[in-house]
């Protein structure tokens, strides 16, 4: 909608902060007083630059896209990608773009971010030199790395990559090179790594930990020259006189505010760059604002995204007449670099006059911890943690406060751990979302009695998750007893019962409930135990006492519908079906008068089967080499696939073949909740595998494995577990993943919430599945091997067993008599059941168009 | 050997496989007072402990008949009043604090097998029928005044 009074704000730059500004403005500007034009120099709409390194391996641009970054449904936002702002005419209030257009503004917001600083050494612009800032930069590094690896292999040597700069970003770049298969070298001018965050002692521990990971560290060395050697490699000369031969160079020696447009427009800039603003983020021109890394708020630039977001919110508020100001920012950092924890908070370097430092170093464990306290040793001022940052959240909450007791005890392993109960109420527990101890405790009092509920109502722990251990401790301290009892008959959780069954070898419900529970069971514990028995043995689900435990659908091996009839879904691995099979399905549907619908899982659903008709239909399927399938039960449902490399011109792997293999392998597997898998033959991801519990996406080198994606009520994208796997490793990892889930998840806990509840999250899961840190991988694989070997067509087994077959009758005293209460209405556009006491639920059918 | 003929003429041979020796099969509740029309349903041994079967009654009504692992037999109406479908015989049995129950296989509402009351919603209940076991055959008792109302 265009209003005559509408004004235009032009946003220059579409990074994380620019996008946040647009979102903030559009969500608050309910009267549509502003129209937004966004100029983005990059051709890619705003993406998660903080997570840039996660692009390595998956090479999936889509997974880094920020939600809502194209404003597709918002016609008040005009996003122009690949369009740079070349010139600002402040008098005329216009911006001239690289496309030659002149855009008029009422307000201009500069969100140009920063650019990587490249030291002006000779040869810095040689081929093979890169910076580390954009997706395109990483694509370039990837191509160069692949060329280098091929060349190095031909020459029988290892391929090297050199990173100039040993700060946070430099170490991330080194890790990227390592993931690409290069041996990384890091050259840092300062005498230690991460000189801004850690001190000499912490730097020494960090250097040792990083070196142990195969990264060669050269500290106290300046890069002086880069020259191309005859063999095509680059020789990098260092200030200590040595030279390193490398296949490629990545500069990450810091960033500078991208303030060129502002300078040429005559806006005030800081001594060290950055557009100077007041605390409202307004520049020296009242119609021009600056946010994010390009802004020097009261002369100070901030290189973190959180302060940038705050600035974006401030300007959005101001444009709508608000009074917000930028409150300054907490520059504390906690991160994991190459798996090494590093945290730095408050006055980490002890710059406060009279400040005292207490240090605890453990060379054997590779940890360094320092706290900085006031001259009377009572107030905590800051600190540094390397190697183990578990104490970060608690310590940070004490910054600026009096410490109870001996401050040295805060970091001494022998010292009593500071309880969360000792924290003051206004201590910020979750700094990402600014949640205090008081609001978490308030939520607990109001009834949030588990982690998921607390996350939901306070947002604590929903961003980086670093504070979750503290949140959990608050929950425990509050006296909330988290009942893990399965139901009134078992005090144990599902995972505990699994362990009991696995270790005692108990194979009947009656023995289990007699020894470990009370009563006779119920509709909750019986199917749970049935599922555990199915996962730990290969008896038929209707054998012996197990028959009485199965949920109704597992008992009748079909999916009950609202009128008590069933639907039958023939198994169709990978959605593949022959003409003969399709004809049989059609004939069955015709002969039994069934309603037919294609499912979302690439199968065909046949509705309206009466219980006594089920065996006859299964027999018809068996006769043409098919079997029925689980469209019910807590078990593997389907493995969805795209058509893959056999037919698709884009496909790089045989996704159908892989999907068929996976479905044959895992069919019949019982689990805490339903399981869905997907296989895509290329990065276009047509099988929507990232919405599945296990998603497999082809790469030109093999397969990327994603896990814990869910559709349904609480959708979650699957997350990358491992990249470029060969077929055998892929299947091995999926075996381990599925069995680990089957063993440890709660009843009805799907994989995404299960992952959320795993202590250590994705990193821990990867350590268990890929690195076998628990030493259980062989066990998990053996359990899956038993499942695969023990699989039988459950439906055919019923046909072959007269005792089981005899249960598929309408009435025990009239086995052939059709249930007189089952009726259908076929007068409308589709056949529907008619329920008792509800003669017609049908809405009037839509008039047919002619 | 006694052969029982059901109302639909189906012959049942009750003694081909006796019920497990240690479990005495008997009605879970005493028959309600008053004269009954006893409808033979099936041989006891055909019942799977913990599960139910549907029984077609004269006049087109139907009952859900259950044998619990402790030997108790119960019969309630087969129609789930929430769903309007004849499915309760296919529900899972169990107990709530000792009260024998069946859960509807559709939306899992739990009914007492003794009284037919929906335990989470006591305003709702289904008819509970008397049962007896004679010569190894389970009978369902219908009040002579008529059958339980179905529709």
């Amino acid at each position: 909608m265009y209003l005559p009074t509408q004004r235009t704000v032009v946003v220059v730059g579409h990074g994380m902060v620019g996008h946040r500004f647009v979102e903030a403005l559009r969500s608050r500007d309910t009267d549509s007083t502003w129209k937004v034009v966004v100029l983005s120099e990059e051709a890619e709409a705003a993406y998660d630059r903080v997570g840039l390194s996660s692009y390595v391996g998956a090479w999936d641009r889509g997974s880094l896209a920020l939600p809502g970054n194209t404003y597709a449904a918002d016609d008040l936002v005009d996003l122009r990608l690949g369009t740079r702002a070349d010139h600002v005419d402040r008098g005329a209030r216009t911006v001239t773009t690289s496309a030659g257009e002149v855009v008029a503004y009422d307000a201009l917001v500069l969100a140009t971010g920063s650019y990587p600083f490249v030291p002006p050494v000779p040869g810095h612009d040689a081929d093979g030199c890169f910076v580390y800032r954009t997706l395109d930069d990483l694509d370039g590094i990837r191509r160069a790395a692949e060329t280098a690896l091929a060349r190095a292999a031909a020459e029988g040597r290892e391929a090297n990559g050199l990173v100039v700069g040993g700060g946070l970003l430099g170490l991330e770049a080194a890790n990227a090179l390592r993931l690409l298969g290069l041996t990384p070298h890091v050259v840092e001018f300062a005498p230690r790594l991460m000189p801004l965050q850690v001190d000499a002692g912490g730097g020494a521990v960090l250097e040792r930990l990083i070196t142990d990971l195969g990264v060669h560290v050269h500290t106290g060395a300046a890069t002086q020259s880069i020259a191309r050697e005859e063999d095509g490699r680059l020789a990098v000369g260092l200030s200590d006189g040595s030279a390193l031969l490398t296949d490629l160079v990545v500069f990450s020696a810091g960033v500078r505010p991208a303030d060129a447009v502002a300078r040429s427009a005559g806006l005030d800039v800081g001594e060290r760059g950055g557009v100077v603003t007041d605390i409202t983020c307004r520049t020296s021109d009242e119609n021009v604002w600056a946010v994010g890394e390009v802004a020097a708020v009261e002369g100070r630039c901030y290189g973190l995204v959180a302060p940038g977001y705050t600035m974006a919110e401030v300007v959005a508020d101001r444009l709508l007449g608000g009074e917000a100001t930028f409150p300054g920012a907490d520059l504390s950092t906690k991160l994991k670099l190459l798996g090494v924890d590093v945290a730095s908070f408050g006055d980490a370097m002890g710059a406060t006059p009279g400040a005292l430092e207490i240090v605890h170093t453990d060379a054997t464990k590779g940890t360094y911890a320092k706290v900085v306290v006031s001259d009377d040793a009572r107030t905590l001022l800051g600190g540094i943690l390397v190697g183990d940052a578990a104490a970060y959240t608690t310590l940070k909450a004490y910054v600026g406060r009096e410490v109870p007791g001996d401050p040295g005890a805060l970091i001494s392993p022998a010292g009593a751990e500071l309880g969360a109960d000792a924290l003051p109420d206004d201590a910020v527990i979750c700094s990402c979302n600014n949640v205090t101890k008081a609001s978490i405790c308030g939520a607990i009092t109001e009834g949030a009695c588990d982690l998921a509920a607390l996350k939901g109502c306070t947002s604590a722990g929903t961003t980086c998750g670093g504070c979750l251990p503290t949140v959990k401790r608050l929950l425990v301290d509050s006296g909330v007893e988290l009942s893990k009892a399965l139901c009134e008959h078992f005090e144990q959780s599902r995972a505990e019962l699994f362990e009991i069954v696995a270790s005692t070898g108990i194979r009947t419900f009656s023995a289990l409930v007699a020894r470990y529970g009370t009563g006779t069971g119920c509709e909750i514990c019986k199917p749970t135990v049935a599922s555990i028995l199915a996962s730990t043995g290969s008896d038929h689900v209707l054998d012996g006492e197990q028959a009485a435990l199965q949920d109704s659908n597992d008992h009748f091996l079909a999916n009950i519908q609202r009128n008590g009839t069933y639907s039958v879904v023939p198994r169709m691995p990978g959605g593949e079906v022959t003409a003969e099979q399709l004809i049989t399905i059609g004939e069955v549907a015709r002969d039994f008068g069934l309603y037919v619908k294609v499912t979302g899982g690439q199968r065909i659903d046949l509705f309206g089967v009466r219980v006594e008709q089920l065996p006859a239909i299964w027999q018809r399927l068996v006769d043409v080499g098919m079997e029925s399938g689980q469209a019910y039960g807590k078990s593997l449902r389907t493995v969805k696939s795209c058509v893959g490399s056999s037919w698709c011109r884009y496909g790089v792997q045989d996704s159908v073949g892989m999907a068929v293999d996976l479905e044959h392998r895992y069919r019949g597997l019982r689990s805490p909740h339903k399981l869905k898998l997907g296989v895509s033959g290329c990065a276009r991801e047509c099988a929507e595998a990232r919405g599945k519990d296990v998603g497999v996406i082809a790469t030109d080198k093999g397969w990327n494995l994603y896990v814990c994606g869910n559709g349904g009520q609480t959708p979650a994208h699957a997350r990358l577990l491992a990249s470029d796997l060969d077929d055998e490793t892929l299947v091995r990892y999926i075996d381990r993943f599925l069995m680990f889930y089957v063993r440890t998840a709660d009843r009805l806990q799907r994989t995404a919430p299960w992952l959320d509840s795993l202590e250590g999250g994705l990193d821990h899961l990867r350590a268990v599945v890929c690195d076998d840190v628990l030493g259980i991988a062989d066990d998990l694989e053996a359990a899956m091997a038993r499942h695969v070997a023990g699989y039988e067509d459950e439906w055919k087994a019923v046909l072959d067993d007269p005792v089981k077959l005899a249960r598929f009758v309408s009435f025990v005293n009239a086995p052939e008599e059709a249930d007189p209460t089952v009726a259908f209405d076929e007068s409308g556009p589709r056949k529907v059941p008619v329920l008792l006491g509800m003669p017609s639920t049908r809405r009037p059918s839509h008039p047919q168009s002619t | 050997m006694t052969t029982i003929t059901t109302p639909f003429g189906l012959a049942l041979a009750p003694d081909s496989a006796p019920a497990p020796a240690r479990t005495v099969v008997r009605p879970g509740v005493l028959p309600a007072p008053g004269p009954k029309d006893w409808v033979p349903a099936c041989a006891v041994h055909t019942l799977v402990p913990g599960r139910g079967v549907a029984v077609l009654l004269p006049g087109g009504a139907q009952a859900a008949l259950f044998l619990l692992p402790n030997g108790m037999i119960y019969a309630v109406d087969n129609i789930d009043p929430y769903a309007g479908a004849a499915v309760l015989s296919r529900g899972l049995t169990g107990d709530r604090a000792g009260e024998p129950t069946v859960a509807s296989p559709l939306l899992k509402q739990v009914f007492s097998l003794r009284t037919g009351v929906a335990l989470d919603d006591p305003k709702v209940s289904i008819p509970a029928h008397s049962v007896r076991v004679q010569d190894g055959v389970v009978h369902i008792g219908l009040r002579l005044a008529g059958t339980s109302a179905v529709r």
Side-chain angles (χ1 to χ4, degrees):
Chain A
M1 177 175 51
Y2 179 77
L3 304 169
T5 55
Q6 211 161 34
R7 291 174 293 169
T8 301
V9 55
V10 173
V11 183
V12 182
H14 197 227
M16 301 176 78
V17 173
H19 174 53
R20 170 60 77 95
F21 167 75
V22 178
E23 282 198 313
L25 181 68
R26 290 298 299 126
S27 68
R28 295 181 196 185
D29 185 16
T30 44
D31 296 334
S32 299
T33 58
W34 288 95
K35 183 175 170 298
V36 186
V37 178
V38 188
L39 305 177
S40 167
E41 182 175 1
E42 279 191 73
E44 198 79 28
Y47 55 88
D48 179 8
R49 201 185 304 281
V50 172
L52 186 64
S53 295
S54 70
Y55 179 55
V56 177
W59 305 111
D60 173 11
R61 287 183 174 231
S63 69
L64 285 171
L66 294 176
N69 63 353
T70 58
Y71 318 108
D74 189 343
D75 49 11
L76 281 184
V77 182
D78 173 7
L79 172 62
R80 305 187 187 178
L81 295 174
T83 308
R84 198 176 55 234
D86 275 348
H87 179 69
V88 173
D89 182 338
R90 295 201 281 127
R93 281 197 268 161
T94 59
V95 180
T96 308
T97 72
S98 54
E101 292 163 296
V102 177
V103 186
Y105 67 81
D106 297 290
L108 178 67
V109 176
L110 299 172
T112 43
S114 53
Y115 64 90
F117 168 67
V118 177
V121 297
H124 66 85
D125 50 0
D127 263 2
C129 291
F130 298 90
V131 293
Y132 197 86
R133 172 107 190 143
T134 66
L135 291 170
D136 290 341
D137 293 337
L138 264 65
D139 280 339
I141 292 170
R142 180 193 187 189
R143 278 191 297 275
E146 283 170 355
T147 311
L149 283 168
R151 201 172 55 199
E155 294 167 11
R157 58 174 176 85
E158 63 180 21
N160 288 342
L162 184 142
V163 179
V164 178
L168 194 160
L169 206 57
L171 294 182
E172 285 215 5
N175 193 34
L177 295 183
R178 200 171 71 121
L179 293 174
L180 285 165
L182 306 185
T183 302
H185 288 255
V186 173
V187 177
E188 169 57 48
F189 177 69
R192 60 179 186 273
L193 294 171
M194 296 186 69
L196 296 181
Q197 288 86 10
V198 306
D199 59 4
V205 172
L206 179 61
E207 180 168 338
R208 203 157 50 237
L209 292 170
I210 298 284
T211 305
D212 286 348
L213 293 165
V215 179
H216 298 263
V217 178
H218 312 266
T219 45
T223 307
Q224 291 192 321
S225 64
I226 298 171
R228 172 83 51 198
E229 292 291 290
E230 277 176 17
D231 68 355
R233 282 194 278 177
L234 297 169
V236 180
L238 302 184
S239 54
D240 61 6
S242 66
L244 295 168
L245 276 178
T246 183
D247 291 280
L248 62 91
V249 172
V250 179
F251 288 104
S252 70
V255 294
R256 299 285 183 271
D259 55 12
V261 171
R263 281 173 193 272
S264 68
L267 291 167
D268 288 354
V269 293
E271 269 174 43
R272 295 156 74 184
V275 184
V276 175
T277 76
D278 58 16
I279 55 165
T280 72
C281 298
R282 196 189 289 257
T283 68
S284 51
D285 179 329
E286 62 171 350
N287 298 314
V288 183
W289 311 75
V291 294
E293 289 180 311
V294 75
V297 183
E298 296 198 305
R300 179 164 188 186
C301 289
Y302 295 85
L304 298 175
V305 72
Y309 281 170
T310 309
M311 294 178 211
E313 302 279 349
V314 167
V315 175
D317 181 70
R318 289 269 164 183
L319 288 186
L320 297 171
E323 295 289 312
T325 56
F326 181 70
D330 177 11
L331 297 181
S332 301
T333 28
K334 175 183 173 225
L335 41 111
K336 214 183 210 17
L337 286 166
L338 299 104
V340 178
D341 281 331
V342 180
S344 161
F345 54 94
D347 178 12
M349 301 299 172
T352 311
L356 305 171
E357 297 189 348
I358 305 167
V359 174
H360 181 88
T361 311
D362 186 333
T364 56
K365 284 196 198 134
T367 59
Y368 174 87
K370 178 179 92 170
V371 287
V372 178
V373 293
S374 59
D375 52 3
D376 59 359
R378 293 173 70 175
T379 306
L380 184 67
L381 300 175
I384 294 169
L385 300 166
V386 176
D388 176 5
Y392 171 74
T393 308
T394 316
L395 287 178
K396 201 171 81 60
Y398 270 101
V399 170
R401 300 174 187 280
E402 214 161 280
V403 179
D406 171 16
L410 295 176
I411 49 168
S412 158
E417 195 188 340
L418 202 54
D421 55 338
L423 288 171
D425 275 354
D426 58 345
V428 172
I429 304 294
C430 170
S431 43
C432 300
N433 298 295
N434 198 24
V435 185
T436 61
K437 178 183 168 186
S439 49
I440 292 172
C441 292
I444 295 173
T445 314
E446 279 164 28
C449 58
D450 59 31
L451 220 43
L454 274 178
K455 279 172 155 184
C457 63
T458 65
S459 306
T462 53
T463 306
C464 79
C467 61
L468 283 178
T470 311
V471 176
K472 207 182 263 181
R473 220 174 309 141
L474 283 174
L475 200 53
V476 173
D477 290 349
S478 74
V480 173
E481 274 207 32
L482 303 179
S483 171
K484 51 187 170 52
L486 186 61
C487 64
E488 70 171 79
H489 305 102
F490 286 100
E491 284 177 7
Q492 299 85 348
S493 68
R494 181 190 173 280
E496 287 168 337
L497 285 177
F498 196 105
E499 287 310 309
I500 289 171
V501 169
S503 55
T504 60
I506 291 176
R507 298 297 303 161
T508 63
F509 181 85
S510 51
L512 192 69
V513 77
R515 204 164 140 196
Y516 294 96
T518 56
T520 62
C522 64
E523 72 283 359
I524 292 169
C525 57
K526 282 179 167 182
T528 304
V529 171
S531 164
I532 293 172
L533 292 173
S535 301
T536 49
S538 55
D539 340 326
H540 190 273
V541 292
L542 301 184
D543 275 348
E545 213 192 275
Q546 283 192 47
L549 306 179
Q550 303 297 340
D551 224 334
S552 181
N553 283 344
D554 279 299
H555 191 74
F556 290 97
L557 301 137
N559 196 0
I560 197 165
Q561 303 297 328
R562 61 186 311 153
N563 69 338
T565 62
Y566 288 88
S567 84
V568 171
V569 182
R571 188 182 302 290
M572 216 175 263
E576 221 173 32
V577 63
T578 67
E580 280 310 310
Q581 292 170 336
L582 207 48
I583 287 168
T584 300
I585 291 172
E587 287 174 346
V588 166
R590 182 195 59 206
D591 296 352
F592 289 84
L594 306 177
Y595 169 65
V596 184
K597 187 172 188 316
V598 174
T599 72
Q602 302 188 331
R603 300 189 286 187
I604 295 174
D605 212 340
L606 306 171
F607 290 85
V609 183
R610 296 195 310 272
V611 64
E612 71 275 16
Q613 295 174 319
L614 286 167
I617 290 178
W618 298 336
Q619 186 66 57
R620 296 270 290 264
L621 297 175
V622 168
D623 289 344
V624 291
M626 301 184 83
E627 62 181 33
S628 190
Q630 270 98 3
Y632 57 87
K634 309 309 169 209
S635 56
L636 176 84
R637 299 292 177 81
T638 65
V639 184
K640 182 175 176 177
S641 80
C642 68
V643 76
S645 58
S646 49
W647 287 88
C648 176
R649 66 190 188 282
Y650 299 116
V652 294
Q653 303 285 352
D654 176 14
S655 52
V656 179
M658 179 54 76
V660 170
D661 288 351
L662 293 178
E663 181 151 347
H664 281 142
R665 187 168 182 81
Y666 303 121
R667 61 185 170 179
L669 180 69
R670 274 10 187 228
S671 49
H673 210 308
K674 63 184 171 187
L675 285 171
K676 296 181 173 185
L677 276 60
V679 184
S680 276
C682 78
R684 283 170 183 75
E685 238 285 70
C686 295
E688 296 165 335
R690 288 197 64 205
K692 307 296 183 200
D693 298 285
V694 174
V696 177
I697 302 176
T699 69
D700 44 14
K701 298 203 193 75
W703 306 96
N704 283 351
L705 172 58
Y706 293 82
V707 294
C708 302
N710 293 168
Q713 208 167 11
T714 315
H717 266 133
R719 298 168 65 187
L720 183 68
L721 191 73
S723 315
D724 290 331
L725 304 174
D726 57 36
D727 288 11
E728 192 198 335
T729 312
L730 173 74
V731 171
R732 188 145 34 95
Y733 283 1
I734 300 176
D735 280 3
R736 294 175 182 180
F737 166 75
L738 288 176
M739 268 302 165
F740 189 50
Y741 165 66
V742 165
R743 286 191 175 188
T744 59
D746 271 343
R747 168 182 173 266
L748 298 187
Q749 185 177 39
R750 288 205 67 185
T751 51
W754 170 69
L755 179 61
D756 278 346
S757 73
L758 272 189
E759 198 125 356
L762 187 64
D763 287 339
H764 175 65
L765 181 61
R766 188 179 292 117
V768 171
V769 171
C770 306
D771 308 328
D772 192 19
V773 290
L774 299 181
I776 57 170
D778 287 348
D779 209 25
L780 297 175
E781 285 175 38
M784 190 61 84
R786 281 194 297 278
H787 162 77
V788 175
Y791 178 79
E792 64 169 336
D793 176 346
E794 292 168 16
W795 302 269
K796 182 169 184 301
V798 168
L799 298 173
D800 294 344
D801 181 341
V803 174
K804 291 181 184 127
L805 190 58
R807 296 172 193 157
F808 290 84
V809 294
S810 51
F811 297 101
V812 69
N813 57 345
E816 313 264 315
E817 194 91 10
D819 182 344
T821 67
V822 171
F824 300 96
D825 176 359
E826 303 195 50
S827 62
R830 62 193 67 85
K831 176 172 179 163
V832 293
V834 179
L835 303 176
L836 297 173
M838 309 171 194
S840 176
T841 53
R842 169 177 299 291
R843 282 164 297 183
S845 59
H846 296 292
Q848 302 288 315
S849 58
T850 49
Chain B
M1 178 177 182
T2 333
T3 300
I4 294 112
T5 306
T6 69
F8 303 94
L10 178 80
L12 295 172
D15 53 354
S16 56
R22 280 167 301 152
T23 313
V24 180
V25 177
R26 61 191 188 284
V29 281
L30 291 173
K36 298 278 182 306
D37 188 5
W38 290 102
V39 179
C42 63
V44 164
H45 72 85
T46 59
L47 296 173
V48 177
R51 296 222 82 107
V53 292
V55 182
L56 191 56
L57 301 174
Q62 43 187 297
L65 174 67
F66 300 90
L67 169 63
L68 297 193
N70 62 4
M72 299 293 191
I73 295 186
Y74 299 92
V76 293
D77 207 88
N78 194 29
I79 290 174
D80 173 348
Y82 293 98
V87 294
L88 290 180
S89 65
R90 289 174 261 164
L92 269 179
T93 63
D95 77 276
R96 274 223 193 151
E99 181 76 5
T101 58
V102 63
S104 167
L106 289 171
L107 295 175
K108 308 288 190 280
Q109 293 92 349
V110 175
F111 299 89
S112 161
L113 286 176
R114 287 189 322 112
T115 63
V117 172
L119 292 181
D120 294 317
D121 186 6
K123 295 189 303 293
V124 177
S125 69
I126 51 175
H129 300 293
S130 301
V131 288
R132 74 175 188 197
V133 182
Q134 220 165 50
D135 297 332
V137 173
V138 185
H139 296 73
I140 295 177
L142 301 178
R143 269 192 295 273
L144 277 178
T147 59
S148 61
V150 174
R151 294 173 199 249

